[in-house]
Amino acid sequence: MPEKILKKLNERILPQWKACFLSALVIGLLAHLYKITGWLPNWDSLVFRYDPQNMLGIGRWFLPVVCSFSSFYDLPFLNGIISILFHALGAVCICKILKVENKITAALIGALIVSFPTVTSVLMYNYVADGYSIAFFMSTLAAVFMTNKKPNYIAAALLIALSSGIYQAYLTVTVM
């Protein structure tokens, strides 16, 4: 039954992870509300109101696949919410890697991750913000797989390859 599955899943999620995720979600919405609810154009958003993300020539072969799930249009609300959700999930991965047990510390990590200036920069390129935030999440999840008691190097390598196929800069997130 679905309610039993949800209850079991809820029991596996640690309270500090919930605090981190909810903090990242709320602070992310507050910090980026202006960008999410309006259209703050830059040069790219003027040119790329619609873009199929075909950036194979610069090594972003997986970007069109990831961005196809939401839209190829510059939609501030949709792409902004997706971006905040995946940055929040990445913050939870960081809490897991660092073995954070204090809810306040976890909430501060979530708030810091989602309000960091690079997230604001990603949201300025809103037509690819969803894909880039998924790349951030994949890179942190790869680090989780590598730092487990029983490391899963194959899953980590696959996630690093997919993340690098979206945006190569997130390789440094995994390394750090």
Side-chain angles (χ1 to χ4, degrees):
M1 300 311 270
E3 60 272 0
K4 289 182 181 179
I5 293 171
L6 288 174
K7 185 177 180 183
K8 224 177 206 352
L9 182 64
N10 189 32
E11 291 170 356
R12 294 191 68 190
I13 300 172
L14 298 178
Q16 57 269 28
W17 296 352
K18 291 177 188 176
C20 179
F21 183 81
L22 290 175
S23 168
L25 193 63
V26 170
I27 298 298
L29 287 173
L30 290 174
H32 306 293
L33 187 65
Y34 182 77
K35 177 63 179 145
I36 292 172
T37 60
W39 188 56
L40 183 64
N42 63 8
W43 171 252
D44 279 2
S45 59
L46 293 173
V47 174
F48 298 116
R49 289 295 287 161
Y50 172 82
D51 186 47
Q53 315 302 332
N54 191 5
M55 299 185 189
L56 186 61
I58 57 175
R60 297 182 187 164
W61 54 271
F62 197 57
L63 184 62
V65 175
V66 171
C67 288
S68 69
F69 292 112
S70 59
S71 173
F72 292 130
Y73 287 96
D74 186 5
L75 301 172
F77 189 76
L78 177 65
N79 292 352
I81 294 295
I82 291 171
S83 181
I84 289 171
L85 284 172
F86 277 100
H87 276 93
L89 290 171
V92 171
C93 289
I94 291 170
C95 283
K96 181 174 177 13
I97 292 167
L98 298 176
K99 296 177 177 66
V100 175
E101 294 183 8
N102 189 338
K103 287 183 189 178
I104 294 172
T105 306
L108 289 173
I109 288 173
L112 178 67
I113 294 293
V114 83
S115 64
F116 205 70
T118 54
V119 177
T120 304
S121 177
V122 163
L123 286 174
M124 284 304 295
Y125 299 95
N126 200 21
Y127 64 100
V128 288
D130 52 344
Y132 289 177
S133 61
I134 292 171
F136 173 77
F137 171 64
M138 285 180 172
S139 66
T140 57
L141 189 59
V144 167
F145 281 129
M146 286 189 290
T147 57
N148 281 337
K149 287 182 181 179
K150 286 183 166 182
N152 189 342
Y153 295 115
I154 304 234
L158 179 65
L159 285 168
I160 290 170
L162 293 175
S163 175
S164 294
I166 297 170
Y167 192 45
Q168 297 83 3
Y170 289 114
L171 182 62
T172 59
V173 172
T174 306
V175 171
M176 292 308 291

